[in-house]
Amino acid sequence: LEIDIPTENVVIRHFEATDVRTGSGGVVFGSETSGGIRNIYVHDGYFDGADRGIRFKTERGRGNVIENIYVRDVRMRNITYEAINVNSFYTGPNVVGVAPAIRNIHISNVEIDGVPTGISLVGLPEKWIEDFTLENIRIVNSRNGARITRVKNLTMRDVSISSSERALIADDVIEF
């Protein structure tokens, strides 16, 4: 937390994540965000048997920003928890300190087959997720489709969710 070195200007491409069962995921941003994470481009990934697929994890006290993240052309199978996940309460809701900003995230061309929850985006009460785009997302064989809470400027274009229980719950979403 004290080093304050950013992660920025990174390209991750043409990779596989199989049997990643460590509480992490196929591609993960955070949990350390004190120096910021920005300008990341991820493409052409395949995840099979990961805890989560595309994951953003941070919390109060870590501060700074996760921004300008572009993820495209990803296929996922057999995800244990969430396929696309933003978790602003990484170690719990009672942590105090500066809230991190999560903004300008673009996820497109993603196929998901087999997951309890397809999409979970949960912003903090005092610092909502901003400018989040989901485009050309296909989710099949999910129990719950999407849970979206405290997001400003959400764009969902060509998102298809096939779920056995509920497709979408959206609370406190502005400009949806």
Side-chain angles (χ1 to χ4, degrees):
L1 292 172
E2 297 172 4
I3 295 174
D4 198 31
I5 298 173
T7 298
E8 57 188 355
N9 307 321
V10 176
V11 175
I12 303 166
R13 62 183 175 186
H14 308 291
F15 67 103
E16 289 187 15
T18 56
D19 291 321
V20 180
R21 306 279 185 200
T22 61
S24 193
V27 63
V28 180
F29 303 89
S31 65
E32 184 47 61
T33 60
S34 67
I37 300 172
R38 66 180 56 82
N39 307 328
I40 311 294
Y41 184 55
V42 179
H43 68 90
D44 297 299
Y46 175 70
F47 312 152
D48 190 352
D51 279 354
R52 290 163 184 86
I54 302 163
R55 184 179 192 190
F56 299 83
K57 58 182 181 174
T58 187
E59 66 186 353
R60 294 177 186 105
R62 297 189 184 215
N64 220 309
V65 66
I66 300 173
E67 67 181 348
N68 306 329
I69 310 295
Y70 300 86
V71 181
R72 70 169 176 84
D73 302 324
V74 173
R75 292 180 303 124
M76 300 182 213
R77 298 183 62 239
N78 307 313
I79 303 301
T80 304
Y81 300 108
E82 303 95 2
I84 299 171
N85 175 242
V86 175
N87 183 351
S88 300
F89 296 99
Y90 180 55
T91 61
N94 298 323
V95 176
V96 297
V98 176
I102 301 170
R103 61 180 175 234
N104 199 26
I105 310 295
H106 303 271
I107 300 174
S108 63
N109 304 329
V110 176
E111 297 176 11
I112 301 158
D113 185 356
V115 64
T117 301
I119 301 166
S120 176
L121 310 177
V122 181
L124 292 167
E126 71 276 21
K127 187 80 78 161
W128 291 25
I129 299 165
E130 296 185 46
D131 303 317
F132 205 101
T133 300
L134 297 165
E135 185 170 10
N136 192 26
I137 310 292
R138 300 277 177 266
I139 302 171
V140 298
N141 298 317
S142 69
R143 186 168 55 246
N144 294 296
R147 176 178 175 233
I148 302 168
T149 304
R150 292 183 291 277
V151 179
K152 293 179 185 175
N153 301 322
L154 173 66
T155 300
M156 294 178 72
R157 186 178 302 116
D158 194 23
V159 175
S160 171
I161 298 171
S162 174
S163 61
S164 61
E165 293 185 19
R166 79 186 124 226
L168 174 67
I169 296 174
D171 294 314
D172 293 328
V173 178
I174 298 174
E175 296 186 32
F176 180 56

